[in-house]
Amino acid sequence: MDCLAIFAAGKASRFGGFPKAFCDLNGIRNVENTIALAQKHFSKIFLIVNEETYTSGIATGVDAEIISIVTGQGDADSILKSLKRITVERGIDVLFACWGDAVFLTDDPFLELKAGLSTWNIRSPVLVGCSWDEKPYAWFDVDGKSIVRSHFRKNEFEPYSTGLHDQSIFAFRTGTLLDYLMRRKHDLGLDAFDDNTYDVTRGEMGLLDTLTWFYEQPDLCAAEYCEITPNRVMSFNDPAELEQVIKMLKNFRKRDKKEC
């Protein structure tokens, strides 16, 4: 059974606190657009939200199984909590995932990530769908297909003009990734915090930094990437950027209608 988890559990601090997964895209909510594109490729879709989103009722009516988690320690910690809830109970070996705040213009990223499974090292915990982007806010150093290091534009003296950037879509080899993330949590000194607690003063358990950490451990296998078509997944951080994304989505819809 092919399953997709849409992670919409962030605090949306850069968007005034409103969850970007539920922003309106010209008559359809962002997460509903993602689900509509993904449904033909996955037999089960999970929507991961934080407690505030869950209790607000904003996710009501979404055609997915909603799972509420306590967030605050970083996106890798949210993945860890979700894997415990989903895979331990249901025996899912490979879980596909995407960020809920990303806007998918087509279903190409889902198709192309699935195609990338054929060359994915069976010991690798994560496969990341990536494209070469101009002026990315984050990018990877790689060795072959292995992800060696994550970079962030805000931390770089000379940001790359072009970089290999994740497209907000992943495949998780669940058993391996659970073990690796538990080790990462221990390495960060977070063992005292269970699935209902967190302490941001101890640092964030971010996914991209965690992928770097995987490569640095001599007894762990690195995450890998596969290339997918660029400019099929968009992001936004303010209303003006959202309007630009909506325009792009309209253009893709018009193109699809003409092709039909």
Side-chain angles (χ1 to χ4, degrees), residues 19-228:
K20 290 191 283 185
F22 297 93
C23 286
D24 182 74
L25 302 178
N26 195 38
I28 184 172
R29 293 186 293 180
N30 188 11
V31 68
E32 291 170 331
N33 175 67
T34 301
I35 291 171
L37 292 169
Q39 277 179 329
K40 67 185 78 171
H41 306 295
F42 301 98
S43 55
K44 180 74 174 179
I45 297 178
F46 302 96
L47 177 62
I48 315 299
V49 299
N50 59 42
E51 287 186 313
E52 293 83 359
T53 298
Y54 184 78
T55 56
S56 73
I58 195 174
T60 301
V62 173
D63 189 12
E65 181 176 335
I66 300 173
I67 295 177
S68 173
I69 61 172
V70 175
T71 60
Q73 204 72 61
D75 49 13
D77 182 62
S78 294
I79 291 169
L80 173 60
K81 291 173 179 175
S82 301
L83 287 177
K84 290 178 182 178
R85 294 280 301 277
I86 295 172
T87 60
V88 172
E89 296 173 4
R90 304 168 197 256
I92 299 169
D93 295 325
V94 173
L95 178 68
F96 296 88
C98 67
W99 297 141
D101 59 356
V103 179
F104 286 81
L105 303 180
T106 74
D107 64 346
D108 293 339
F110 301 113
L111 285 167
E112 293 171 2
L113 183 69
K114 280 192 167 187
L117 297 185
S118 62
T119 57
W120 185 23
N121 184 341
I122 195 169
R123 293 185 59 241
S124 175
V126 180
L127 180 67
V128 186
C130 293
S131 298
W132 290 96
D133 289 353
E134 294 183 0
K135 298 179 180 179
Y137 71 86
W139 63 94
F140 296 124
D141 290 339
V142 295
D143 179 8
K145 290 295 183 180
S146 297
I147 294 174
V148 174
R149 185 183 175 195
S150 303
H151 295 268
F152 298 90
R153 185 167 58 197
K154 64 182 180 180
N155 299 330
E156 299 293 325
F157 181 70
E158 293 184 2
Y160 277 19
S161 58
T162 303
L164 189 65
H165 176 46
D166 80 84
Q167 299 299 297
S168 300
I169 187 167
F170 314 87
F172 300 147
R173 191 160 275 120
T174 57
T176 303
L177 185 57
L178 266 172
D179 290 341
Y180 283 23
L181 290 178
M182 289 298 294
R183 281 189 54 174
R184 175 61 168 161
K185 185 175 180 178
H186 175 76
D187 184 71
L188 291 172
L190 298 171
D191 288 341
F193 301 96
D194 61 20
D195 290 349
N196 297 308
T197 56
Y198 62 91
D199 181 1
V200 293
T201 65
R202 289 179 172 266
E204 188 172 312
M205 190 169 160
L207 179 60
L208 298 188
D209 285 332
T210 297
L211 299 185
T212 298
W213 184 84
F214 288 168
Y215 183 81
E216 294 171 344
Q217 309 311 302
D219 60 331
L220 301 186
C221 190
E224 296 187 346
Y225 81 95
C226 67
E227 282 195 51
I228 63 176

